Amino acid sequence: MTLKLDLALQTVGLRDLRSFTEAWGVDVVKRDDPAEYADKVLANRTELLNHAAVEKHLQLSDLPYRVHMLTKAQLRRLLNERDYSCEVNAFHGMFLQEEQQFLEWATKPTALRHLDPKVRDVYATVLEAAWEDNVNASEYRLLERLRAKLGITRRDHRIIELQLGKYPSANGGGTHTVAEIEDGMRHLLKRGLVLRVQTKTGTRSYCIPEEIASLLREILGIELTAPVYLNLLNQLPVTVLRSALEAAGQPFTGARDFLAARLVDGYVSPKAVLRQVSDDQMEKLLKALPTVRQDGTKEIRVRNVVRYFDSLDLLAPDLAVDRSETYVSYFAELAKRSYDVLRAANVIAKDRDVERHFEDATTTLFRDYLGYTVEAMEGNNHPDGRVTLDDPHRVILWDCKSCESEYSLTDRLARQFLGYAHAAAPMVASPLVVVAPGFSSDAVSSAVRLKVQCPPGTEIALLSAEDLLWLARMWRQRRTSKEAGRLPWQVLATTGLLSRDHLEQRLRAFVS
């Protein structure tokens, strides 16, 4: 959860409170009273925290060019954190790791192959000349105009600069040192753009209060933070990502994760990406997002999709709160084991977290969205979920299968479900739902064969994660607006693939 300014100020040390109030021109009489600092800031926040004021504080061109670039990069990195905060040492580590990864990429001969060699050489010549006196403020403004004129992105600028051996660090173009990172953060602290907060356990974190972060994102054009943006891009066809990069003058080829990273660090607008989506692709995307309005012009739907993804709540892993809704937001990614996206969004810390979080999210969908009372089960040799129905002869079972490709219901795996079905006796598993990212072409016939071996009345339903999420969100809306009860079990009680069309047919049949 992002920290509002009033709460953030309560956790800031006295020295940092002085820096913050001095940055914003707030006069404090009792300079040893933290409460007065907070009261004075909050009393004047309407005059202080507005677009013009924050934009003025963001003018960092008076700093030495190298420090200017570092502080801008740090600010963007912090704005891409969940709740705009990060523990101090963790921030240093992540910043250095990302710089090292960028260095490895930027030194490859293919890093600038999308640029016209003549354009690249002209810009490199001018940039190298500017570096002869460490790039003063007027030279920086001229470089920005030339960069835009030549169609060179900020990412391209950084690569050229790095290949010239001028940046990032003063140490021969290597990564920054921790001391340099701390120095950059001190500049942001002194300008009142960042606070250093402290938890009850003594952990210190860099933090941008929500009010300031919202204005910074607006000024810097950050429509979606990086984790959320990657989540959106993972919902789109690779051809769309490639087309968006080409339209932005960054024609790259490669796998989805590579292209998505280029869109994010190339500052390509998510709206520009969505404008590359065809009508059919947009319709498919919206069907997976039942809470987003489906009507309107394409531009309206583009804005609605961006607004929806921006509203996703990404929580830090060390917060003692129920994260089930976060796992639901990334349900499809958990099913497909999209490790890069999940790590970027801080949904997982380790690869093995995927399976557990996928199971937790599925339980949340059955319990909180579909309205079932989920039973607690002991031991290990059991399905991932169980619901006892009013019908004394039936029970719902489900099992979660996250995998990077389509799930294939082999005979060996089918024996696992056969054991679950027999263990449910004297009740019948109707249905036994297998939840996976998708299913192989032979999975349906395997499910039919498995049904024959199970106790009479057993149904083996194959349900994709995306379709379960669609059903669950749709049903929760219905429960909220029409006070409907739990989903009729008959909707799920069938053998074979429960596609979206099949679910809609069964909803019409069993829901009055």
Side-chain angles (χ1 to χ4, degrees):
M1 181 183 296
T2 55
L3 276 177
K4 292 280 191 180
L5 182 61
D6 55 348
L7 295 177
L9 289 172
Q10 295 175 22
T11 64
V12 176
L14 191 60
R15 184 176 63 179
D16 287 341
L17 282 172
R18 288 172 180 163
S19 294
F20 188 80
T21 52
E22 287 171 4
W24 292 98
V26 175
D27 293 326
V28 176
V29 177
K30 301 177 182 178
R31 296 184 60 80
D32 292 326
D33 183 4
E36 180 166 351
Y37 284 94
D39 290 343
K40 291 287 187 180
V41 170
L42 296 175
N44 294 278
R45 64 177 154 191
T46 302
E47 294 76 17
L48 301 176
L49 301 181
N50 56 69
H51 189 285
V54 173
E55 188 171 29
K56 182 178 179 180
H57 281 242
L58 192 56
Q59 297 300 317
L60 304 169
S61 55
D62 59 311
L63 297 174
Y65 173 76
R66 196 185 298 277
V67 179
H68 177 190
M69 293 295 101
L70 172 61
T71 54
K72 277 283 185 71
Q74 290 175 314
L75 199 59
R76 283 185 174 274
R77 182 66 185 81
L78 196 53
L79 285 168
N80 280 324
E81 281 293 304
R82 285 73 42 199
D83 60 20
Y84 312 124
S85 69
C86 185
E87 191 272 326
V88 169
N89 290 331
F91 181 84
H92 296 163
M94 286 187 292
F95 193 85
L96 290 173
Q97 182 182 28
E98 289 182 2
E99 275 199 341
Q100 183 59 44
Q101 291 172 346
F102 180 74
L103 279 167
E104 291 172 2
W105 159 253
T107 51
K108 292 180 179 179
T110 57
L112 293 171
R113 66 182 178 186
H114 59 285
L115 290 181
D116 183 313
K118 292 182 180 179
V119 169
R120 180 193 61 209
D121 292 345
V122 166
Y123 191 75
T125 300
V126 175
L127 181 57
E128 189 169 28
W131 264 101
E132 290 178 359
D133 57 356
N134 292 321
V135 190
N136 59 41
S138 61
E139 287 171 334
Y140 173 67
R141 288 193 293 271
L142 287 172
L143 280 170
E144 282 289 279
R145 293 180 65 181
L146 179 62
R147 182 184 63 76
K149 181 73 173 178
L150 296 177
I152 291 176
T153 68
R154 290 184 176 89
R155 175 183 172 81
D156 297 333
H157 169 94
R158 289 165 57 205
I159 293 172
I160 294 171
E161 208 163 38
L162 190 146
Q163 291 182 351
L164 291 172
K166 302 298 185 182
Y167 189 80
S169 174
N171 184 25
T175 62
H176 285 99
T177 64
V178 171
E180 287 174 326
I181 294 173
E182 289 179 336
D183 183 62
M185 292 305 294
R186 275 194 290 272
H187 286 288
L188 295 175
L189 289 164
K190 288 180 179 179
R191 289 173 187 254
L193 297 174
V194 174
L195 286 171
R196 190 161 38 197
V197 300
Q198 186 166 318
T199 65
K200 294 179 180 179
T201 60
T203 302
R204 304 181 79 190
S205 298
Y206 296 127
C207 166
I208 305 177
E210 183 180 309
E211 297 91 333
I212 297 177
S214 298
L215 289 165
L216 286 172
R217 283 183 56 184
E218 181 182 331
I219 294 165
L220 295 172
I222 302 175
E223 297 169 88
L224 294 176
T225 60
V228 175
Y229 194 3
L230 287 170
N231 186 13
L232 167 61
L233 295 174
N234 201 48
Q235 318 296 321
L236 304 177
V238 173
T239 53
V240 170
L241 309 190
R242 194 176 296 118
S243 296
L245 283 166
E246 290 174 356
Q250 303 179 54
F252 287 104
T253 59
R256 172 187 296 278
D257 291 346
F258 175 80
L259 297 175
R262 301 291 76 76
L263 287 163
V264 173
D265 61 25
Y267 309 126
V268 179
S269 165
K271 292 177 183 174
V273 177
L274 287 168
R275 292 184 188 114
Q276 300 293 323
V277 173
S278 68
D279 291 341
D280 289 342
Q281 290 167 337
M282 177 63 78
E283 185 175 349
K284 182 179 179 181
L285 174 63
L286 289 172
K287 279 187 176 180
L289 308 172
T291 58
V292 179
R293 286 189 60 181
Q294 313 284 304
D295 57 349
T297 64
K298 183 172 183 177
E299 191 62 26
I300 289 174
R301 288 184 290 173
V302 163
R303 290 201 300 269
N304 288 342
V305 170
V306 172
R307 191 178 299 116
Y308 165 79
F309 277 89
D310 191 35
S311 70
L312 295 181
D313 188 20
L314 307 180
L315 303 176
D318 56 346
L319 294 180
V321 296
D322 181 6
R323 301 194 70 209
S324 57
E325 285 300 327
T326 299
Y327 303 150
V328 167
S329 297
Y330 287 90
F331 193 56
E333 289 75 23
L334 288 165
K336 292 182 288 189
R337 299 193 173 213
S338 300
Y339 295 115
D340 289 346
V341 175
L342 295 169
R343 287 194 199 94
N346 210 16
V347 177
I348 63 170
K350 300 178 181 178
D351 289 357
R352 65 173 178 266
D353 294 338
V354 167
E355 189 173 346
R356 185 176 71 255
H357 295 345
F358 185 38
E359 293 170 7
D360 290 344
T362 304
T363 297
T364 298
L365 294 179
F366 273 91
R367 182 189 64 220
D368 300 339
Y369 287 61
L370 300 179
Y372 293 112
T373 300
V374 178
E375 296 181 24
M377 292 178 288
E378 298 180 356
N380 297 316
N381 190 22
H382 56 70
D384 294 324
R386 175 184 169 115
V387 168
T388 300
L389 302 169
D390 294 335
D391 186 332
H393 303 295
R394 293 178 180 270
V395 64
I396 295 179
L397 305 178
W398 67 83
D399 208 62
C400 304
K401 299 297 180 185
S402 62
C403 47
E404 295 180 68
S405 58
E406 293 180 328
Y407 182 71
S408 181
L409 189 58
T410 64
D411 291 339
R412 181 181 63 82
L413 295 170
R415 286 196 293 272
Q416 175 189 16
F417 300 126
L418 182 61
Y420 294 160
H422 281 292
M427 291 183 286
V428 177
S430 183
L432 194 167
V433 183
V434 182
V435 185
F439 297 90
S440 63
S441 57
D442 61 348
V444 173
S445 57
S446 298
V448 173
R449 288 197 301 271
L450 176 59
K451 169 184 168 66
V452 174
Q453 301 174 57
C454 292
T458 301
E459 303 286 359
I460 311 296
L462 308 179
L463 184 56
S464 75
E466 287 187 358
D467 287 343
L468 173 57
L469 183 61
W470 169 82
L471 174 68
R473 284 173 166 165
M474 181 277 299
W475 191 255
R476 185 168 71 166
Q477 276 191 312
R478 187 184 182 96
R479 291 177 66 200
T480 302
S481 60
K482 298 185 179 179
E483 298 183 354
R486 67 186 184 188
L487 178 80
W489 59 266
Q490 294 92 337
V491 173
L492 302 172
T494 186
T495 292
L497 184 63
L498 259 176
S499 65
R500 185 80 55 87
D501 289 342
H502 199 182
L503 284 169
E504 290 176 342
Q505 292 171 9
R506 297 185 72 81
L507 283 166
R508 287 193 293 270
F510 295 112
V511 178
S512 56

